[in-house]
């Protein structure tokens, strides 16, 4: 077995880390070469997973969404021509140009879908994905079972060979990184965050309407008795879609702190008393599992994710889309003493073992072997 695994970026959380974990497990069974299309803090870890000789980190912007699809396709062809692996595993629709390149070179292609319908449509609009991708892919891996419906609604078809992978994280690595000293976080006035007796409500992500940065800010304004900590790109330079930035500056909330883009988000998550998933859409957020591993209680909304059934048994789950009113109602009902209690912090403990990637790899291996042994036919419409 020989595989080229494509990652669209190298952030420490989300789809790239899942791809790295898959590469690490696949490398135990055969030859795996990882191609990361954007440099980032995850690259050294990826080198450990696959071996430094089996990692290519693209240093240019040739795979940016600002580059025309045809030019990105030519770059993808050049990358694959330098490799002779028979399977191309594309970890995210954001890198789906490699499905096209693989098929042009007569190779098998697997697409790992982490995105729900709205994000898929966004990738289609900016040209990072094309409607033909599902017709070309030989198999699909889903970050959550409900994504099959979104794929069918958007693309009109899905490969017959389909595997639900779900959430997988490197549990021990997350805990080890959480023990490190976090980088400073500041409010709009420049005052540094310092944890004290006040409850700390946190969120981790690339600030945007999809991640609910405006909801997070409005909740901070409506709950001045709590401190709020955002971990991830926030400024216009790093997060141009962050519609909350103007209010962050003009309202100058003393209780809203921003860590910005960091190499180690887990050290910040470890300081939180409650992880608030403010996202309007986040189908299978790995950061929830990472917060669970760090024994942080969760506040989520049922229409945000595809894993509401599990969250209903291991988190505070409100019905519907994220909104300030319900978030504030929950926060006012949560006493700091209870949030920090062993009982509350242990709500998700029974689920943690389910995040071990070793438990999920047999399904991936079976899918790959099926793809290697079948022809190009077999689509569901």
């Amino acid at each position: 077995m020989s595989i080229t695994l494509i990652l669209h970026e190298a952030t420490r959380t989300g789809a790239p880390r899942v791809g790295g974990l898959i590469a690490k497990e696949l490398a135990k069974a055969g030859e795996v070469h990882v191609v990361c299309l954007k440099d980032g803090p995850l690259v050294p870890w990826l080198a450990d997973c696959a071996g430094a000789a089996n990692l290519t980190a693209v240093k240019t912007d040739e795979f940016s969404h600002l580059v025309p699809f045809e030019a990105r396709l030519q770059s993808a062809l050049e990358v694959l021509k330098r490799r002779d692996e028979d399977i191309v595993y594309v970890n995210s629709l954001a890198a789906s140009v490699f499905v096209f390149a693989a098929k042009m070179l007569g190779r098998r292609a697997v697409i790992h879908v982490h995105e729900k319908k709205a994000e898929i449509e966004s990738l289609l609009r900016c040209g990072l994905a094309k409607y033909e991708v599902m017709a070309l892919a030989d198999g699909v891996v889903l970050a959550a079972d409900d994504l099959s419906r979104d794929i069918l609604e958007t693309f009109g078809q899905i490969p017959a060979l389909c595997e639900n992978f779900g959430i997988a994280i490197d549990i021990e690595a997350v805990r080890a990184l959480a023990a490190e000293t976090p980088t400073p976080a500041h409010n709009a006035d420049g005052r540094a965050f310092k944890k004290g007796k006040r409850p700390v409500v946190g969120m981790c992500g690339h600030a945007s309407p999809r991640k609910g940065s405006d909801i997070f800010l409005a909740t901070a304004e409506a709950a001045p008795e709590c401190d709020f900590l955002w971990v991830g790109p926030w400024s216009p330079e790093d997060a141009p879609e962050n519609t909350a930035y103007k209010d962050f500056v003009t309202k100058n909330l003393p209780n809203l702190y921003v860590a910005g883009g960091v190499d180690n988000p887990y050290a910040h998550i470890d300081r939180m008393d409650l992880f608030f998933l403010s996202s309007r859409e986040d189908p299978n957020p790995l950061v929830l599992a990472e917060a669970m591993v760090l024994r942080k209680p969760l506040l989520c909304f049922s229409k945000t994710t595809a894993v509401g059934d599990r969250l209903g048994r291991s988190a505070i789950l409100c019905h519907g889309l994220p909104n300030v009113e319900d978030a504030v109602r929950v926060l006012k009902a949560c006493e700091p003493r209870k949030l920090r209690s062993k009982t509350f912090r242990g709500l998700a403990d029974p689920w943690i073992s389910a995040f071990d990637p070793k438990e999920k790899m047999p399904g991936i291996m079976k899918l790959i072997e099926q793809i290697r042994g079948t022809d190009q036919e077999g689509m569901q419409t």
Side-chain angles (χ1 to χ4, degrees):
M1 178 183 70
S2 60
I3 296 175
T4 302
L5 193 147
I6 309 296
L7 301 179
H8 68 293
E9 61 183 10
T11 53
R12 282 196 182 273
T13 60
R17 182 166 283 276
V18 173
L21 291 172
I22 291 173
K24 184 176 182 179
E25 295 301 315
L26 288 174
K28 297 175 182 177
E31 181 183 352
V32 178
H33 189 89
V34 177
V35 178
C36 190
L37 306 184
K38 186 177 180 180
D39 203 0
L42 200 65
V43 167
W45 177 77
L46 292 171
D48 290 338
C49 289
N54 295 319
L55 173 66
T56 299
V58 177
K59 304 293 186 182
T60 66
D61 293 328
E62 58 191 300
F63 291 103
S64 164
H65 70 281
L66 299 175
V67 176
F69 181 84
E70 292 74 14
R72 282 185 280 117
L73 179 58
Q74 289 302 313
S75 296
L77 286 168
E78 291 304 314
V79 169
L80 293 184
K81 285 176 182 177
R82 294 194 288 268
R83 314 296 316 166
D84 59 1
E85 291 85 3
D86 55 353
I87 300 282
V88 179
Y89 190 110
V90 182
N91 187 60
S92 173
L93 280 168
S96 58
V97 66
F98 276 84
V99 173
F100 291 79
K103 303 315 292 181
M104 289 176 68
L105 296 174
R107 301 180 192 177
R108 304 289 190 178
V110 179
I111 182 75
H112 193 140
V113 179
H114 300 264
E115 301 86 355
K116 280 183 70 67
K117 187 175 181 180
E119 190 174 1
I120 293 172
E121 291 173 344
S122 176
L123 293 174
L124 289 166
R125 285 194 298 271
C126 71
L128 282 175
K130 297 287 186 182
Y131 282 103
E132 300 87 349
V133 65
M134 288 299 157
L136 294 175
D138 297 287
V140 62
V141 177
L142 304 177
D145 189 50
D146 283 2
L147 295 184
S148 59
R149 181 181 61 240
D150 289 17
I151 292 171
L152 283 169
E153 289 179 359
T154 308
F155 297 101
Q157 58 186 341
I158 187 171
L161 296 178
C162 181
E163 172 69 17
N164 180 24
F165 187 75
I167 293 176
I169 61 174
D170 191 335
I171 296 171
E172 295 308 317
V174 169
R175 287 173 173 164
L177 287 166
E180 295 182 358
T181 302
T183 55
H186 299 89
N187 63 11
D189 256 350
R191 182 162 56 88
F193 170 77
K194 184 177 180 181
K195 183 168 181 174
K197 294 182 179 180
R198 290 160 56 87
V200 180
V201 181
M203 168 63 177
C204 183
H206 197 287
S208 66
R210 190 176 76 85
K211 291 290 186 180
S213 56
D214 56 322
I215 296 172
F216 193 81
L217 182 144
T219 305
E221 184 177 17
E225 69 276 10
C226 299
D227 285 331
F228 287 74
L229 175 61
W230 184 280
V231 183
W234 180 270
S235 68
E237 296 78 18
D238 299 326
E241 294 182 344
N242 184 17
T243 54
Y245 185 79
K246 183 177 179 181
D247 282 344
F248 175 69
V249 173
T250 57
K251 293 187 175 182
N252 195 20
L253 301 179
N255 65 328
L256 176 55
Y257 298 86
V258 174
V262 295
D263 287 352
N264 179 8
Y266 310 115
H268 290 279
I269 294 174
D270 201 45
R271 296 195 290 179
M272 300 174 185
D273 295 309
L274 183 72
F275 189 95
F276 171 27
L277 186 71
S278 59
S279 301
R280 290 179 169 87
E281 181 184 88
D282 224 338
N284 206 30
L286 295 184
V287 71
L288 289 188
E290 292 163 344
M292 287 181 183
V293 163
L294 298 178
R295 308 187 84 233
K296 302 301 172 181
L298 309 176
L299 169 58
C300 308
F301 285 77
S302 63
K303 290 193 176 181
T304 290
T305 82
V307 291
D309 58 338
R310 175 171 295 183
L311 293 174
R313 288 169 282 174
S314 56
I316 302 169
L317 184 67
C318 297
H319 177 71
L321 290 170
N323 63 86
V324 176
E325 293 76 14
D326 283 335
V328 171
R329 175 174 56 83
V330 169
L331 291 176
K332 290 188 180 300
C334 291
E335 299 176 13
R337 176 178 57 84
K338 290 182 179 179
L339 281 177
R340 295 172 182 175
S341 69
K342 290 183 179 179
T343 301
F344 210 69
R345 284 168 54 87
L347 283 175
D349 285 356
W351 297 103
I352 292 175
S353 61
F355 304 143
D356 188 343
K358 297 182 183 68
E359 301 297 319
K360 302 170 180 289
M361 285 309 298
I364 295 274
M365 298 297 293
K366 181 180 178 181
L367 177 76
I368 290 172
E369 289 306 316
Q370 287 177 315
I371 288 172
R372 294 182 69 194
T374 59
D375 57 20
Q376 301 271 358
E377 299 176 353
M379 303 297 292
Q380 294 178 351
T381 59

